[in-house]
Amino acid sequence: MLIVIEKVLDAQEVQDFRERLSNARWIDGAPTAGTRSVSVKQNLQLDRSDADAVELGNIILRKLGHHPLFISASLAERIWPPVFNCYQNGGHYGTHSDAALMRLPEAGLTIRSDLSATVFLSEPEDYDGGELLIEDQFGAQAIKLAAGDMVLYPSSSLHQVASVTRGQRICAITWMQSAVAETAARALLFDLDQSIQALTPARPEDDPDINRLIHVYHNLLRRWASP
Ligand code: NI
């Protein structure tokens, strides 16, 4: 299940991010890849302790924490501090899967990565290549979004970032542990919730059918959630 969430950051915020990031201290991203991933990863990253990374990452986390579509789609319990990266001059990240367990000892944080997210910060017309290629049951999907938009996808999927052959592709990525680990169960809950949201405005308050659907939603969530 791939879900695009538009305008996580608005145009002004994207511009502010890009100004901050143009003066940031980019370092080689390969050392943070797993041992097998090192040979396929070629990009630049901000160090986790970098003041810009921490501050901008917190802005994204605050936005996501209040975003109804993100909450409904992810049912996120724990979110990894966003990582900023930059691909240019042929930079790419070959086919890989993300680590299942991620530990941040200094924050006392361990997450099981259920969902991965990429927030695009460069406009698609400003670079060639750089598609995020995600393999799902229907084949590889090529994702290249407007600046400020985000894609959510299962961390269990194989994925890659195609070579950037012109310009610069800057993005923020993060991972989250969901209250519902199973992708298929989470997808059903998301569909049900979205339909309830769509039907509710046209119905009277206290509509018995809507109430029953909400009842079903919460009892499925109760059955499947393991916070
Ligand atoms: Ni990845």
Side-chain angles (χ1 to χ4, degrees):
M1 181 175 69
L2 309 185
I3 297 169
V4 171
I5 301 180
E6 294 179 348
K7 294 191 170 57
V8 167
L9 299 173
D10 65 29
Q12 184 60 55
E13 289 164 333
V14 166
Q15 198 185 324
D16 293 345
F17 269 58
R18 280 214 295 261
E19 273 173 30
R20 288 279 295 274
L21 291 169
S22 66
N23 297 313
R25 239 166 47 85
W26 294 100
I27 56 173
D28 183 7
T32 61
T35 45
R36 211 200 83 64
S37 300
V38 165
S39 59
V40 297
K41 186 177 183 191
Q42 189 198 320
N43 69 1
L44 299 172
Q45 253 174 227
L46 294 189
D47 190 73
R48 197 152 61 206
S49 62
D50 184 285
D52 289 313
V54 171
E55 212 169 299
L56 297 177
N58 283 337
I59 292 173
I60 292 175
L61 292 179
R62 275 200 298 278
K63 288 263 165 177
L64 294 179
H66 294 102
H67 200 297
L69 191 58
F70 170 78
I71 293 168
S72 175
S74 70
L75 299 167
E77 286 290 324
R78 296 178 201 169
I79 308 185
W80 195 258
V83 172
F84 292 86
N85 53 37
C86 172
Y87 293 80
Q88 56 189 4
N89 304 323
H92 60 274
Y93 195 166
T95 304
H96 67 281
S97 58
D98 294 339
L101 292 176
M102 304 174 64
R103 294 190 176 86
L104 201 53
E106 63 268 33
L109 178 71
T110 298
I111 70 164
R112 178 195 61 232
S113 60
D114 295 319
L115 287 157
S116 303
T118 297
V119 182
F120 289 77
L121 296 169
S122 303
E123 293 297 353
E125 58 271 23
D126 290 344
Y127 60 98
D128 289 335
E131 293 85 359
L132 173 60
L133 300 161
I134 305 168
E135 289 179 25
D136 70 7
Q137 71 264 44
F138 305 115
Q141 313 277 319
I143 310 290
K144 186 167 178 175
L145 302 177
D149 292 357
M150 178 173 96
V151 62
L152 263 181
Y153 59 99
S155 301
S156 56
S157 62
L158 282 169
H159 54 274
Q160 60 176 299
V161 177
S163 281
V164 172
T165 54
R166 176 187 64 88
Q168 216 177 35
R169 173 199 192 267
I170 294 177
C171 59
I173 58 176
T174 186
W175 297 265
M176 57 223 76
Q177 179 170 325
S178 175
V180 176
E182 198 65 46
T183 300
R186 202 182 322 110
L188 287 173
L189 287 167
F190 178 61
D191 284 347
L192 179 54
D193 186 47
Q194 291 304 294
S195 289
I196 293 170
Q197 302 301 329
L199 291 170
T200 300
R203 298 289 188 120
E205 237 178 273
D206 214 28
D207 180 90
D209 293 316
I210 297 290
N211 285 344
R212 196 177 306 110
L213 287 173
I214 293 171
H215 165 82
V216 170
Y217 176 84
H218 283 285
N219 282 307
L220 287 174
L221 183 56
R222 193 170 282 113
R223 184 172 287 220
W224 291 333
S226 51

